[in-house]
Structures are given as structure tokens and as C-alpha cells.
Amino acid sequence: MTARVDGPDKVTGRARYAVEHPADGAAYVWAVPSVIARGTIRSVDASRALALPGVLAVITPDNAPRLPGTGDPELALFQTRAVAYRGQFAAAVVAGTLEAAREAAGRVVIEYEQAAHDVTLTASHPGLYKPDFVNPRYETDTAVGDFDGAFAAAAVRVDATYRTPAEHNHPMEPHATVAVWHAGTLTVYDATQGPSRAAGQIAAVFGLEPGQVRVIAEHVGGGFGAKGMPRANVILAAMAARVTGRPVKFAVTRPQMFAVTGHRAPSIQRVRLGAGPDGRLTAVCHDVIDQTSTLKEFTEQSAVATRHMYAAPHRRTTHRVVRLDVPTPSWMRAPGECPGMFALESAMDELAAACGIDPVELRLRNEPAVHPETGQPFSSRHLAACLREGAARFGWAGRDPAPGVRREGRWLAGTGVAASTYPARAMPSQARVTVSPSGRYQVSIAAADIGTGARTALLAVAAEALGVPAAAIDLRIGDSALPPAMIAGGSMGTASWTWAVIKACGALRDQVRARDGAVPPGGLTAYADTAADIGALPAHARYAFGAQFAEVQVDADTGEVRVPRLLGVFAAGRIVSPAQARSQLIGGMTMGQSMALHEESAMDPQFGDYPNHDLAGYHIAAHADVQDIDAVWIDEKEPELGPAGAKGIGEVGIVGTAAAIAGAVCHATRIRVRDLPIRLDKLLRQSHDPDDSAVHPAAGRDRQIRL
Ligand code: MOS
């Protein structure tokens, strides 16, 4: 096991996160969020705030510097008086101390012209429409064959509607920025997943050339997608620094993160499966209903995994979205696949019960030879191997499929399984490698380590590619001044960055070899860009897969759910850094358990925002919730995705966990919870979901936790 190279810095506090960067004479920002969900800012009275000692400025729509780039309305801070959602920043105070800024923020008086708001997603909302595409740029709808005919004719049918709530990413480190202007150039220390992309986007907002903005993200305390793009905090810090002529620090508060830093939108998903008595699917349909804000269209691609998971000649997927007066949804770990696979994999579990077929066997029977919609070959696909390996390790053989028959004292016991998948991709990146005459190497790439262990993985890969010990290499990442690279997102970081690094290391070795090993006094430098390599990839289907197995215990009296065992088996190409990979995977599974049992941003229709907006009200799985959890992987050769053959593991770990747990809860209790999270009140209610559609009798009718 390779120890995490930044471990000592982190545990001793030497590692600096964005807002911890020292800045002489720094001023501090406190934002003033809007208290209406829709309407207009009529006036801002800053006089009582400005009267406080230490207050430097109050920035409002009246006096904010005009921003040349307003293409992203979430970043066009204070450029209009319109309010699009509750919690949107309406004004901000800049002061010499954080305390003064906070106190003054409470004295800013804003008069609003309030309009009626609509924050409630329903399956029959009149505003639902078909977007041109869904994230990141998938087709909105797909259809192959005759789904309706095949479904009507199927011997066994499942027709069920699943719901997932709004969820927030909540990295431990909030979104935070230190902004410093030097004449016309801007340097920001920012909590971001991608310094290169952020620099370009920030430059566009301020009307600067990309080279005039430098983004430094040395250590980042998690992101899970929320830090994949610059947020209001960067723009506000930079604006405040410009207004006051001082460096400015700004950290978004935890409650503010519920509004301005993105979240996973709630979903309503209808899944219909038609199969023969042998469980072979003939018809698959997945219809997704989603919401976005009035500011931006962001449609989660929740039906896309259904396009490649299982063979069936007749199939359809659709996405519809409605614009509501809510905060803008955004990327959250396995966007699309995570909520979508909760629905599909729950439906597969319901089909297994309806057919009387073991749920592992059901999935094996429906393995496609090629992508079932496009006909493209898979570059590598080992879902079946994951299911078999997982079943063997978990002790699945001999499982009694009967639901609600195992009880020890107060505890009802059950097990569940679900498949997992996530696209395997890489994006163009560049890297530079130098060697000095003394034999020291420097590897530079604008990658970001958001807590994943990217430093450790890249160092290991570079050492192998150069054929030198890792101790001979200085790795530089986390700075947009370095060769531009893909963000740490979409599970693409490792594949994208290792591709560029290995290519540059190979080029440097060629140079050294051509000189018979003699390094000139000025050293040697090699540069690599993978854009052409990635552009030349064959049009194949590339995905990581996995199988998740869960054991649950449900308290028959209280409905409390415990998860004594969680096992994930993954096929994700080469695992370049095993210790870090295991952490990532069990982290994803923990987040999946959290999604299954706890996470829910509750929308208050009256006020139009999330009242449980802190980590006391927004529940997440804590250490005591996670018991025997393990992630393993099978040996998989991925021949196409770059020289490391790594498929990426940041997101596949969360996919399917919630369905495995929901299936296990149903196996334990006979109660099929189709709307996450599986709160105990849903288990104690006799009939928890009046409008859901009936499926097989075992899970559909007898909804009593007491046996
Ligand atoms: Mo991930 S949600 O693409 O950072």
C-alpha cells in the first residue's frame, strides 16, 4: 500500500485550504441572501451597515461593478435586481474583520417586491417540457423497437414510480476564495475541482484574457461535483477585492451552501420492465421528471444508464424538466447514474421477485453482448464477473428469496443486490516533465487533489513511467499556471491526467535515450497534449461496472434501519493507486448508504427554500452508521482508455448502493420503499405511497412491518 503523500501535511495542519492562504491586509466578505423566492429588489439601505467601524463597502445591485461576462447567470452577481430563488445573494458586506462583516450584513435593509413562487415538482406540472439535451450532452429521449407493444404483450410486467429528493453535496470544506488583484491580473486561491477550467470561466466573467486569471487550489476538502465550476463565492471575492483594493477572503456558510453552491435536483422516475417468465427482458422504459431553476437549464441525465445496462429488443428513455423558483441544481456525485440506477435497479429487484428468479441471476440473464441501443461494442464490460465475485464473497448462494421471514429478536434481516455503472472517459490534458542534470524530475499538470489521493496516484504513475523512484520526482498540481488539464470530475481525472503524464514521461525518456543518458546543464523538458489521442478514440461504449451487496437489519418496532454489511465489487480498468482507490470506493458507497437512509433537502413550499439547511437538519451517514464495508475489484484490462487503462472510480461507488439497501429492506420487511430516503416513518406506515403503481404481490400489497 502506498501511503498518501500529502497525509503528513494534512494531519499536521500544514496543508492549506483556499481560505487559509495568508493575505496581508485581507478584508472579509459576508453575503446577504435574499429572503424571497421570486421577485425584485426594490431598494437596499446600507447606511446602518456602513456606520459600523471597520466596514469598507456594501456591494448591491445599485453599485456593483458591471461584469462584462454575464453568460452564466449564477456568476453574474448583482447585475440585475431580479431574485430567482430564496438564498440567492442580494448584497454583500466587505469589512476589515469577519465579525464586522457579519454584524453589518445583519444591518443591511433590503426591500423586495415579492412575486408568487412555485417550488414544487409534480409529475403533472404544466411547465414540464422536453429539453434539447440532457447533461452533459446526451440525447433527451431514445427509442428502439416498439416498447408499448412489447410491454403490453409481456408475460411479467413491473410498472413502478420512484422518487429521489433534493440532495446537497456538502464537502467538508465549504466553497471559499481568497482573491488578490495585481494591477489588471487576478489571483484566486479557490476551493475548486479544476483550476484550468475555473481560470477561463472567471476570466470570461471579468472580461479578461485567460492568462490574466490564476487559480490556485493546492488542497481541496472535497467537492463531489459542487466545486466543478466557479461559484458565486469566487466572483464575489474578486469583486470585493476590486472594490476595496485589498485582498479579500470569503467562505460560503453551510446554510448558504444549500442555495448557491448546487445540489442534486429531486426526481420522479417511472420504470416499466416487461419480461418473459424466464426473466429475459423484452421491454424497458425509463421516464424521468426533473426540475431546474429559472436561471439555468440543468437536466440530470437519470435515464441514460438504462440505455446500456440490460439487453431488451424494445426500449425507450425520456427526460422532462420544469423550471421552478428554486436554486440551480448542479453536479453531484454520479449525476444521472446515481438517482437513475436507484430506480432501474429497484425495478430489477421487483422484477426478480415477480419472476421468482434470483436477482443476481436475473441480471446475468440480461447481459447484452453489445450496447443495446447503439450496437457499439463495449471496450470492456465485466458486470457479470462483478456479480459472480460479489455473490461468492458475500455468501449469496442459498439466499431464501422470501421477504419478511427472518427475525432475530426485534431485528428483521434482509439482503439486497444492485448493479452499478458509470461512463469511463478521458478529456484532453497537457503535462510537462523536466529533468535536471542532478537527476531530479519535475512533473507539472494543473490537476486537482480534492481529497481523492490524486497526488499519490500521479506520483506513482510518473515514477513507473520514468523508471525512477517517486522520491526523485517533484509533482506540481493545483495551479492554473501549470499545463492545462481536465477537472477532477466526471470520474475522468485519473484517466485524463495519467494519459498526459505518461505521454510526457515517455517523451522525456526518448530525449534522454537519444542523448545516451546525458542531461545537458539546462536540463531537458518534454511536453505532452492528449487532445489528438482522445479525438482518435474509436466510437465504442466505455463504462465502469460494479455490483453492490447489502445486508440490513430493521427494527420491527421502530423501523430503524442498520446496515451491518456492504460489499462492492467493481470493474474499473486498472486501479492505479489501490489504497486511495479503496477509500474512494467505500466513500462512494457510504454516500450511497447515506442517500438510501438519510439525505433529504426538504423544500418548504411556503418560504421556498430548504429549512433543514445545516448538518444538524440534513442527515448524513456518520461513522457509527457504517459497519462492515468493503470494496474490492476484479482484474480488468481496459485496452482503449489511455496508457494507464484506468476507468475512474470517483462515482461508480455511489451508484446502486441505495437500490441494494432498498432491496434488502424489502427483503427484510416486505415493504418496498420507492421514495428515498428510507425513513423509519415510511416503514411504520401501513401504506406509505398511495399513488405508486402496483407490482408483484410480495412487495406491493402487504405493507406491514410486523410479521
Ligand atoms: Mo463529479 S459530480 O462529475 O465531480
Side-chain angles (χ1 to χ4, degrees):
M1 292 258 185
T2 313
R4 194 172 283 238
V5 294
D6 45 5
D9 280 353
K10 285 188 170 172
V11 297
T12 57
R14 276 197 306 269
R16 279 204 188 114
Y17 293 81
V19 86
E20 298 175 322
H21 278 273
D24 283 344
Y28 296 82
V29 167
W30 199 277
V32 184
S34 109
V35 299
I36 62 167
R38 182 165 161 254
T40 311
I41 295 169
R42 201 184 285 150
S43 65
V44 182
D45 178 359
S47 54
R48 289 182 61 240
L50 288 165
L52 274 181
V55 173
L56 302 168
V58 176
I59 306 176
T60 75
D62 295 323
N63 64 13
R66 295 297 97 187
L67 297 172
T70 55
D72 183 341
E74 284 287 339
L75 300 183
L77 227 50
F78 314 132
Q79 303 299 292
T80 122
R81 310 178 78 84
V83 174
Y85 57 85
R86 196 170 200 268
Q88 189 179 14
F89 290 166
V93 175
V94 199
T97 64
L98 187 63
E99 292 75 11
R102 183 179 190 172
E103 188 184 356
R107 295 178 171 221
V108 175
V109 180
I110 304 180
E111 300 272 352
Y112 297 95
E113 181 101 32
Q114 188 168 1
H117 60 252
D118 177 4
V119 293
T120 308
L121 178 67
T122 63
S124 56
H125 198 289
L128 283 164
Y129 68 96
K130 180 184 172 186
D132 290 341
F133 57 86
V134 296
N135 293 327
R137 203 142 190 123
Y138 285 107
E139 279 178 277
T140 305
D141 296 355
T142 58
V144 175
D146 168 24
F147 167 76
D148 294 310
F151 184 67
V156 185
R157 288 188 292 271
V158 167
D159 180 350
T161 298
Y162 304 87
R163 289 177 170 79
T164 59
E167 294 155 358
H168 280 77
N169 313 51
H170 285 308
M172 287 305 294
E173 180 203 22
H175 292 67
T177 310
V178 178
V180 189
W181 289 92
H182 302 283
T185 68
L186 172 66
T187 299
V188 295
Y189 299 87
D190 189 44
T192 178
Q193 292 173 224
S196 304
R197 193 184 285 182
Q201 288 168 317
I202 297 163
V205 172
F206 287 98
L208 301 169
E209 296 300 318
Q212 290 176 284
V213 176
R214 181 174 177 191
V215 177
I216 298 169
E218 208 180 328
H219 294 282
V220 181
F224 313 113
K227 293 173 184 167
M229 68 193 71
R231 301 284 181 185
N233 53 291
V234 193
I235 306 307
L236 180 45
M239 190 183 259
R242 180 174 267 184
V243 166
T244 60
R246 289 167 65 161
V248 163
K249 294 191 173 198
F250 177 40
V252 179
T253 68
R254 189 65 61 180
Q256 290 170 355
M257 287 175 73
F258 280 79
V260 299
T261 62
H263 66 282
R264 194 195 298 285
S267 71
I268 302 171
Q269 307 180 52
R270 182 182 184 191
V271 178
R272 282 173 285 175
L273 303 176
D278 61 354
R280 283 184 209 282
L281 289 162
T282 52
V284 173
C285 181
H286 192 167
D287 299 307
V288 176
I289 287 170
D290 228 325
Q291 74 184 37
T292 187
S293 71
T294 60
L295 281 185
K296 282 168 90 164
E297 184 182 274
F298 183 97
T299 316
E300 190 141 346
Q301 67 275 34
S302 297
V304 299
T306 301
R307 297 173 183 170
H308 74 261
M309 283 304 293
Y310 301 113
H314 305 285
R315 43 203 313 135
R316 190 160 74 213
T317 61
T318 69
H319 297 85
R320 297 294 177 269
V321 69
V322 57
R323 289 180 180 270
L324 299 176
D325 304 307
V326 294
T328 304
S330 177
W331 313 102
M332 178 162 162
R333 207 168 198 172
E337 283 77 10
C338 177
M341 287 287 279
F342 166 66
L344 176 67
E345 291 301 295
S346 292
M348 285 295 280
D349 201 51
E350 302 205 48
L351 179 66
C355 293
I357 294 173
D358 178 81
V360 171
E361 174 60 24
L362 179 75
R363 288 170 173 87
L364 294 174
R365 277 187 201 178
N366 287 291
E367 265 290 285
V370 294
H371 190 295
E373 291 198 2
T374 66
Q376 289 173 348
F378 291 99
S379 63
S380 52
R381 174 175 172 129
H382 291 99
L383 172 57
C386 293
L387 287 162
R388 290 196 177 100
E389 175 73 17
R393 285 178 180 253
F394 193 76
W396 188 261
R399 171 187 186 257
D400 178 358
V405 296
R406 286 151 302 275
R407 181 166 183 163
E408 266 182 53
R410 282 164 47 185
W411 295 102
L412 307 171
T415 51
V417 64
S420 175
T421 188
Y422 196 77
R425 294 173 293 216
M427 292 288 269
S429 297
Q430 300 173 30
R432 184 176 57 235
V433 182
T434 64
V435 60
S436 71
S438 65
R440 280 222 63 83
Y441 293 82
Q442 191 175 71
V443 174
S444 304
I445 180 167
D449 192 330
I450 61 172
T452 56
R455 272 190 180 79
T456 311
L458 285 175
L459 206 54
V461 165
E464 186 185 303
L466 290 167
V468 302
I473 303 171
D474 299 313
L475 175 70
R476 296 173 64 209
I477 64 169
D479 185 342
S480 67
L482 301 171
M486 173 58 188
I487 69 165
S491 297
M492 286 182 262
T494 301
S496 306
W497 305 328
T498 55
W499 200 329
V501 165
I502 292 171
K503 191 176 177 185
C505 290
L508 186 74
R509 286 187 81 162
D510 288 347
Q511 288 187 36
V512 173
R513 214 172 287 126
R515 295 166 170 273
D516 290 327
V519 177
L524 291 170
T525 298
Y527 204 91
D529 183 344
T530 60
D533 308 87
I534 289 167
L537 277 174
H540 290 168
R542 281 179 288 269
Y543 301 92
F545 289 94
Q548 307 246 14
F549 292 79
E551 179 184 330
V552 305
Q553 294 177 322
V554 183
D555 188 307
D557 296 317
T558 67
E560 176 188 347
V561 179
R562 294 189 176 178
V563 184
R565 216 149 53 101
L566 211 48
L567 170 69
V569 180
F570 299 94
R574 184 184 158 207
I575 302 300
V576 298
S577 191
Q580 278 58 242
R582 183 176 178 279
S583 289
Q584 273 279 76
L585 290 167
I586 65 173
M589 292 165 65
T590 300
M591 211 162 167
Q593 175 178 334
S594 200
M595 172 193 190
L597 301 179
H598 308 294
E599 293 192 40
E600 178 173 27
S601 302
M603 176 56 78
D604 179 332
Q606 199 73 31
F607 285 92
D609 78 352
Y610 302 108
N612 61 330
H613 59 196
D614 54 38
L615 292 178
Y618 184 90
H619 296 174
I620 56 169
H623 280 91
D625 295 304
V626 180
Q627 300 179 38
D628 177 356
I629 186 170
D630 202 8
V632 296
W633 44 86
I634 61 165
D635 262 332
E636 183 181 62
K637 297 270 172 290
E638 163 52 47
E640 297 177 357
L641 201 67
K647 282 183 172 176
I649 44 150
E651 309 186 70
V652 72
I654 193 177
V655 180
T657 320
I661 290 172
V665 167
C666 184
H667 189 229
T669 64
R670 302 186 184 196
I671 299 170
R672 172 66 63 178
V673 178
R674 300 192 186 92
D675 54 333
L676 292 180
I678 305 170
R679 290 194 318 254
L680 44 82
D681 57 299
K682 296 177 188 175
L683 296 174
L684 294 173
R685 241 180 283 160
Q686 297 289 301
S687 176
H688 66 276
D689 195 2
D691 67 340
D692 73 0
S693 4
V695 282
H696 57 94
R701 307 254 157 75
D702 182 9
R703 289 197 177 106
Q704 297 183 11
I705 198 161
R706 288 174 187 276
L707 302 175

